[in-house]
Amino acid sequence: MSRLLHISASPRGAASESLAIAETFLGAYRETHGDVVDHHDLWDGTLPEFGPAAAAAKMAVFAGETPAGDQAAAWTAAREVFERYDSYDRYLFSVPMWNSSVPYILKQFVDVVSQPGWVFSFDPEEGYTGLLRGKKAAVVYTSAVYGEGRPPAFGTDNQRPFLEGWLRWTGIADIEVVEFRPDLATADAESGRRAAHAEARELGKRF
């Protein structure tokens, strides 16, 4: 049986478009697959910071050393987040656009789990190798202003390239996407919302 982890990056609860579309996906997924489904709300207060002690620990590991003291504690906290993440083979990310990119809490998650020997290995001649091969991800992207084909004054997309670039860097190449980016010029968000939910429902069934 597969295990799916929903990683949500919106703090807006019932007002969140990305969370609502994710719930549609998850409802169809549960009905079809019956697999284990869990939720990691990145805003629940459990995500550790990746500050000076953790950064020093990472450099110690790169140097073949063992972190000690505050560094060891920071490394252990990061490791716990990674082990939870790695225990699943399927992921659903729900990601609103903030300032043309992702919410900072999602970048914090990425920085916490992206460590040598966990999500990547590195060779001085060959470069990086992702270690999470064999897993798959679905992503719900939402934005209130940016949309493909709109003028630059409506923003640029540093959201999808960032997240999918990171996923592929970690070895996850099987990625499917649902987007909801309503066209404010037409003031008709409902048709796009219905389409996004329908797409999420179908993706949940086959994921």
Side-chain angles (χ1 to χ4, degrees):
M1 179 178 289
S2 293
R3 288 165 50 83
L4 184 145
L5 180 63
H6 172 208
I7 299 173
S8 61
S10 173
R12 299 190 66 227
S16 170
E17 297 280 9
S18 62
L19 282 171
I21 296 169
E23 284 303 319
T24 295
F25 171 101
L26 291 170
Y29 183 87
R30 291 187 184 99
E31 289 176 5
T32 305
H33 302 286
D35 293 343
V36 172
V37 177
D38 291 317
H39 181 201
H40 186 177
D41 176 1
L42 296 180
W43 297 96
D44 66 6
T46 62
L47 190 62
E49 67 174 17
F50 200 81
K58 181 172 189 170
M59 292 302 102
V61 171
F62 263 125
E65 302 169 358
T66 301
D70 290 346
Q71 296 179 24
W75 197 247
T76 296
R79 178 74 188 182
E80 290 174 355
V81 178
F82 165 72
E83 288 180 350
R84 177 184 180 185
Y85 178 65
D86 189 43
S87 68
Y88 297 84
D89 59 343
R90 299 183 183 189
Y91 305 106
L92 170 65
F93 290 84
S94 52
V95 186
M97 178 178 280
W98 281 19
N99 300 311
S100 296
S101 188
V102 301
Y104 71 85
I105 200 77
L106 178 54
K107 180 58 164 62
Q108 182 177 340
F109 172 81
V110 166
D111 289 340
V112 167
V113 302
S114 297
Q115 309 305 333
W118 302 0
V119 305
F120 71 88
S121 63
F122 180 76
D123 179 87
E125 295 185 358
E126 300 296 328
Y128 292 104
T129 298
L131 301 179
L132 302 185
R133 293 182 294 274
K135 301 175 184 283
K136 61 190 300 186
V139 187
V140 173
Y141 296 109
T142 60
S143 56
V145 176
Y146 166 79
E148 186 175 356
R150 295 173 198 163
F154 288 81
T156 56
D157 185 8
N158 298 306
Q159 174 197 41
R160 182 170 177 175
F162 166 76
L163 183 59
E164 292 180 31
W166 175 73
L167 287 169
R168 292 189 174 91
W169 177 71
T170 68
I172 301 175
D174 188 345
I175 304 169
E176 300 201 60
V177 168
V178 176
E179 295 183 280
F180 175 50
R181 308 189 187 277
D183 186 349
L184 300 180
T186 66
D188 179 21
E190 189 55 36
S191 61
R193 182 179 292 110
R194 287 195 301 268
H197 279 268
E199 188 176 354
R201 190 173 298 107
E202 291 305 310
L203 178 55
K205 290 177 183 178
R206 70 172 190 270
F207 190 68

